Amino acid sequence: MLQNTAGGARERLLAAAFEIATRDGVDAVSTRAVCTAAGVQAPSLYHHFGDRSGLIRAVVDVAFEEYLHRKDTATPVDDADPRARVAAGWDAHIAFALAYPGLYPAMYPTSGPLPSQVERSGALLRAGFDELEQAGALRPGITAALATNALRAALRGVAHAVAANPDNDATSAVVRNALIHALVGDRAHN
């Protein structure tokens, strides 16, 4: 992802923080460790990010850029199969949590304020369910809003479990399939 090589102090600091967070988790991102890894003095970190919280926000921003890039470049699925579309989105999210287990909890915290990118991600999910609702692909009584909320809650829970322990990966398919069955009909009703 980010390279901790040439570049300005800001880029080196951000790359170092991203690497530490990816490897050891966000809690391991200390100003001392980041400055040492980046080869800069602490005043440079404060100049560019204000404080550790500002640095963490910048790391989360980069993580969301990577997340959205992965979603944008994912292998296309059959748009005519609504279940495959939902499954592909789920699988991409879980794959990201597995690839970046140290960053995922900071991106989707279980308490406190959510990063602004969570709303963008949620809007994309809602748009997908709006399309499925308009196509008559959701089960009777299931609205796009309900489907979005149900999928977000389940997906975040499973992604947190997988990020904490990759052995929980098998749980993902079970929950995904049960949720898709509950939300999406066998085919569009148009």
Side-chain angles (χ1 to χ4, degrees):
M1 167 80 230
L2 292 173
Q3 298 298 318
N4 190 8
T5 57
R10 184 181 193 290
E11 291 78 18
R12 292 195 319 269
L13 287 160
L14 191 53
F18 190 90
E19 182 179 324
I20 292 167
T22 298
R23 184 185 62 235
D24 302 323
V26 172
D27 290 341
V29 177
S30 70
T31 55
R32 178 174 290 160
V34 170
C35 289
T36 299
V40 301
Q41 299 297 314
S44 184
L45 184 143
Y46 298 121
H47 169 74
H48 292 290
F49 300 101
D51 57 12
R52 180 183 178 276
S53 295
L55 177 62
I56 298 299
R57 279 190 303 277
V59 168
V60 167
D61 288 347
V62 170
F64 268 106
E65 287 174 20
E66 175 67 12
Y67 173 75
L68 293 171
H69 172 73
R70 283 174 170 235
K71 297 227 10 141
D72 288 344
T73 60
T75 304
V77 297
D78 180 6
D79 280 345
D81 183 354
R83 289 175 177 231
R85 286 175 56 190
V86 175
W90 177 286
D91 291 345
H93 194 92
I94 295 299
F96 187 88
L98 281 167
Y100 296 98
L103 282 169
Y104 188 84
M107 295 171 67
Y108 292 93
T110 56
S111 64
L114 294 173
S116 62
Q117 296 94 330
V118 171
E119 289 311 311
R120 179 176 174 213
S121 176
L124 294 171
L125 179 61
R126 174 60 189 263
F129 276 120
D130 284 339
E131 288 176 16
L132 294 180
E133 184 176 43
Q134 291 169 0
L138 297 181
R139 291 206 178 271
I142 302 295
T143 64
L146 177 58
T148 300
N149 290 337
L151 191 122
R152 284 177 88 175
L155 182 55
R156 286 187 196 163
V158 170
H160 276 280
V162 167
N165 182 355
D167 291 340
N168 290 324
D169 188 36
T171 304
S172 177
V174 171
V175 174
R176 178 198 67 206
N177 293 343
L179 192 62
I180 290 171
H181 178 74
L183 300 175
V184 182
D186 294 328
R187 68 177 139 235
H189 302 294
N190 288 345

